[in-house]
Amino acid sequence: MLMNALIVGFVVALAKFLDWWFSSQLSRPIFIVALLGILLGHPTEGIILGAQLELIFLGNVNLGGVMPSDFTLGSIFGGAFAMILGSKIETAIALAVPISLLGTLIYTVMKMVITSLVPRFEKHIKDKNIKAFNRLWSLQFWGFELIYFLLGFISIMVGTNAIKALIEAIPTWIQSSMTVAATMLPAIGIALLLKMLWEKSLIPFYFLGFALGAFFTYDKATDGRLTKGAVALTTAPTKMLSLIQIAFIGFIIAALVVMAELRHNNNNKQTATETIDSNDESEDFFND
């Protein structure tokens, strides 16, 4: 347990170090949780968990001072507890979301403390005391890193048994509900991203992606039974597209072609209008 706690503390500190210095996106779940899995000895689980958690937080982007949730901290702790306890992906997702919201509060407090040091930095600059300036900067940086390292270390050392007991105490029907909710969260993450990026020109591409995902990898349900309070479905893969599915894909491609032609015509009209306007101005100049 000690080694696991040291690894998690190191990964949390590393993620915050990457956030501090540059926006490389290396603190995103798809990278940092995969790295955590490799260090904990669960590389396959780390890659799978990283991809699943990335889908959930796909629409979360920190812009300026706006931080919707600390998805880095939530993903690391959710993935760590799941891999250490040998739990399912749903457990990691269920833990990652609330921890990410709690992480926002912690990050806000840290930023408030760091911001309060600005007058001291300004005083050192005014007094041209470069040594004191560098000393204070190093103190705030390493203090920031140390606090997040201790947060990861102590949480694993103290909280693993508590999280294990909590998971074991959850009734089976609630765990089944968590499984259903966990499968919906990636779709919610993509929906949040689409809400920010959505334009009318993206509609055909959206339905084209849906068609490729749903029709080419579609499993039809052949049977359903109630097992231990949950519905278990028996599925069989479909090996060929129906005429309706082919027509649907063809319609999307046709819409893309039409929209490209309309965009091209509009650009030509705009160019022609600008040319006419420039000619009128030159004629007026020579007439004067």
Side-chain angles (χ1 to χ4, degrees):
M1 188 60 66
L2 176 62
M3 183 57 65
N4 290 338
L6 289 172
I7 290 173
V8 174
F10 167 75
V11 172
V12 172
L14 175 63
K16 293 304 175 181
F17 173 83
L18 295 172
D19 278 343
W20 180 288
W21 284 103
F22 45 85
S23 300
S24 62
Q25 303 301 316
L26 293 179
S27 59
R28 298 290 305 185
I30 197 169
F31 174 81
I32 204 68
V33 177
L35 176 62
L36 176 65
I38 293 173
L39 296 178
L40 289 176
H42 302 280
T44 304
E45 291 84 351
I47 293 173
I48 295 173
L49 284 172
Q52 289 285 335
L53 292 169
E54 182 67 30
L55 283 175
I56 296 172
F57 297 114
L58 195 62
N60 286 36
V61 180
N62 300 334
L63 300 173
V66 179
M67 189 176 185
S69 63
D70 193 346
F71 52 82
T72 301
L73 197 66
S75 299
I76 292 174
F77 281 126
F81 283 125
M83 285 184 279
I84 293 172
L85 298 176
S87 302
K88 298 179 181 179
I89 294 176
E90 291 78 13
T91 302
I93 296 175
L95 293 173
V97 175
I99 292 176
S100 67
L101 298 176
L102 178 62
T104 305
L105 299 177
I106 298 174
Y107 186 82
T108 302
V109 173
M110 294 292 295
K111 283 298 183 180
M112 290 173 61
V113 173
I114 292 175
T115 304
S116 67
L117 298 176
V118 172
R120 285 182 173 269
F121 281 110
E122 293 177 343
K123 183 178 183 301
H124 292 325
I125 293 175
K126 184 178 181 180
D127 297 339
K128 298 182 180 180
N129 193 345
I130 304 303
K131 290 184 178 180
F133 180 92
N134 292 335
R135 184 165 54 249
L136 181 59
W137 190 94
S138 299
L139 179 63
Q140 68 157 2
F141 172 72
W142 291 112
F144 180 83
E145 287 291 303
L146 179 61
I147 288 175
Y148 272 105
F149 172 82
L150 292 176
L151 179 64
F153 177 82
I154 296 174
S155 297
I156 298 301
M157 286 293 294
V158 178
T160 302
N161 292 331
I163 294 295
K164 182 179 180 180
L166 175 64
I167 294 173
E168 292 176 351
I170 296 176
T172 304
W173 66 272
I174 294 182
Q175 293 187 14
S176 300
S177 301
M178 289 171 59
T179 301
V180 175
T183 56
M184 295 171 60
L185 286 175
I188 295 175
I190 295 176
L192 290 173
L193 183 63
L194 284 175
K195 184 178 180 180
M196 293 188 295
L197 302 177
W198 187 255
E199 293 182 1
K200 293 181 179 179
S201 60
L202 298 177
I203 293 176
F205 294 99
Y206 173 80
F207 285 104
L208 179 60
F210 169 79
L212 294 176
F215 298 158
F216 285 96
T217 60
Y218 174 70
D219 289 345
K220 61 181 180 180
T222 58
D223 189 19
R225 297 180 181 179
L226 189 62
T227 305
K228 295 181 179 180
V231 177
L233 296 177
T234 303
T235 60
T238 55
K239 297 182 179 180
M240 62 183 297
L241 299 177
S242 66
L243 292 177
I244 296 177
Q245 294 170 346
I246 295 173
F248 188 85
I249 295 174
F251 173 79
I252 295 171
I253 295 174
L256 291 174
V257 173
V258 171
M259 291 179 66
E261 289 291 336
L262 292 175
R263 192 180 303 112
H264 178 71
N265 293 335
N266 290 333
N267 291 336
N268 289 340
K269 290 180 180 179
Q270 184 177 359
T271 303
T273 302
E274 292 174 354
T275 303
I276 293 172
D277 292 339
S278 62
N279 290 337
D280 291 340
E281 292 175 359
S282 62
E283 289 175 3
D284 292 339
F285 175 81
F286 287 112
N287 290 333
D288 292 338

